[in-house]
Amino acid sequence: MCGRFSLATDIDSLQEQFNFEFNDEVTINPRFNVAPSQQILTIGSNGGKRIGMTMKWGLVPSWSKDSKIGYKMINARAEGIDQKPSFKTPFKRKRCLIVCDGFYEWKKEGKNKQPFRFVMQDGRPFAFAGLWDEWDKNGEPLYSCTIITTTPNEITEEVHNRMPVILEEDAYDLWMDSKMNDTEYLKSLLIPFPAKKMKSYPVSTIVNSPKNDVADCLAPINSL
């Protein structure tokens, strides 16, 4: 699964790297310990333009009677994603990027769980494959999203049996294109990211609590 990540990179740098437009009235502050149910940065496509917007992490399907279902929908398994009721419609035409610069997983060590942070070798931000939906039962639309997960690569399997789907840059536009309806091609993108492009390191257990949204969450244990 993927239940926590970071996005400490400033918005100007993100816009330069991912080439998207963004509403300047919305403030994106550095985040070191992003948790489910919080607002996160996503990128979608509108008329060929990349548009950034914030959405609630935890997908609420448009047909749902209760928005609380989103707490159970922070991840979507890649296996059978085009068949599952909550995900099959968004998979067809509501696909997005979810931007981050690292994510966390926990490794069980005896009675304890040691958190690890996973990042790119080059230190650059990257994008998860996401789905989004719009829910409107209270007169005000709620935009929400989920992170797709897949089997682990050689580096993540040392810590967890799942990993988020990380997209290659040349797949971004096709993934976001709502007119792209080749489901077999889309499913072919939902694979483990090359381990050689990633690295991981243990971090402090302060990351265990989402209340601790501080820069120390990013630091290797031996540097604290």
Side-chain angles (χ1 to χ4, degrees), residues 58-73 85-86 133-138 142 144:
L59 189 79
V60 181
S62 59
W63 45 261
S64 177
K65 295 181 180 180
D66 191 340
S67 63
K68 291 181 181 178
I69 193 175
Y71 292 104
K72 301 178 180 180
M73 299 285 187
S86 298
D133 210 343
E134 179 182 353
W135 184 84
D136 189 357
K137 296 293 187 292
N138 296 322
L142 170 66
S144 62

Side-chain angles (χ1 to χ4, degrees), residues 50-139:
R50 295 182 182 181
I51 306 296
M53 67 179 293
T54 57
M55 296 188 187
K56 186 176 182 179
W57 183 11
L59 189 79
V60 181
S62 59
W63 45 261
S64 177
K65 295 181 180 180
D66 191 340
S67 63
K68 291 181 181 178
I69 193 175
Y71 292 104
K72 301 178 180 180
M73 299 285 187
I74 65 169
N75 291 156
R77 292 176 67 91
E79 299 85 346
I81 196 170
D82 57 336
Q83 302 297 322
K84 297 177 181 179
S86 298
F87 306 131
K88 65 180 182 180
T89 298
F91 181 65
K92 289 180 181 178
R93 57 180 180 271
K94 293 180 179 178
R95 300 179 300 271
C96 64
L97 307 180
I98 295 174
V99 185
C100 75
D101 50 25
F103 66 93
Y104 304 100
E105 292 292 359
W106 282 256
K107 182 178 183 180
K108 192 170 183 179
E109 298 180 343
K111 295 182 180 180
N112 301 316
K113 288 186 176 182
Q114 172 61 52
F116 283 76
R117 185 168 186 250
F118 294 85
V119 297
M120 293 294 112
Q121 285 280 3
D122 61 9
R124 301 178 76 214
F126 51 99
F128 300 138
L131 306 177
W132 67 275
D133 210 343
E134 179 182 353
W135 184 84
D136 189 357
K137 296 293 187 292
N138 296 322

Side-chain angles (χ1 to χ4, degrees), residues 201-204 219-224:
Y201 56 87
V203 294
S204 169
I221 285 179
N222 57 13
S223 70
L224 292 174

Side-chain angles (χ1 to χ4, degrees), residues 38-51:
Q38 296 176 351
Q39 293 290 317
I40 62 177
L41 177 64
T42 68
I43 301 175
S45 180
N46 185 357
K49 292 183 178 180
R50 295 182 182 181
I51 306 296

Side-chain angles (χ1 to χ4, degrees), residues 5 7 14-15 17-22 39-46 48-57 90 93-101 125-133 144-148 164-178 186 189-190 193:
F5 65 89
L7 185 59
L14 293 172
Q15 284 186 278
Q17 178 179 336
F18 292 93
N19 189 29
F20 64 95
E21 297 180 4
F22 191 71
Q39 293 290 317
I40 62 177
L41 177 64
T42 68
I43 301 175
S45 180
N46 185 357
K49 292 183 178 180
R50 295 182 182 181
I51 306 296
M53 67 179 293
T54 57
M55 296 188 187
K56 186 176 182 179
W57 183 11
R93 57 180 180 271
K94 293 180 179 178
R95 300 179 300 271
C96 64
L97 307 180
I98 295 174
V99 185
C100 75
D101 50 25
F126 51 99
F128 300 138
L131 306 177
W132 67 275
D133 210 343
S144 62
C145 61
T146 187
I147 295 170
I148 300 175
V165 172
I166 300 170
L167 293 173
E168 298 279 8
E169 292 184 20
D170 59 6
Y172 289 172
D173 288 322
L174 279 176
W175 176 256
M176 293 185 289
D177 186 355
S178 61
L186 292 169
L189 300 176
L190 307 181
F193 194 75

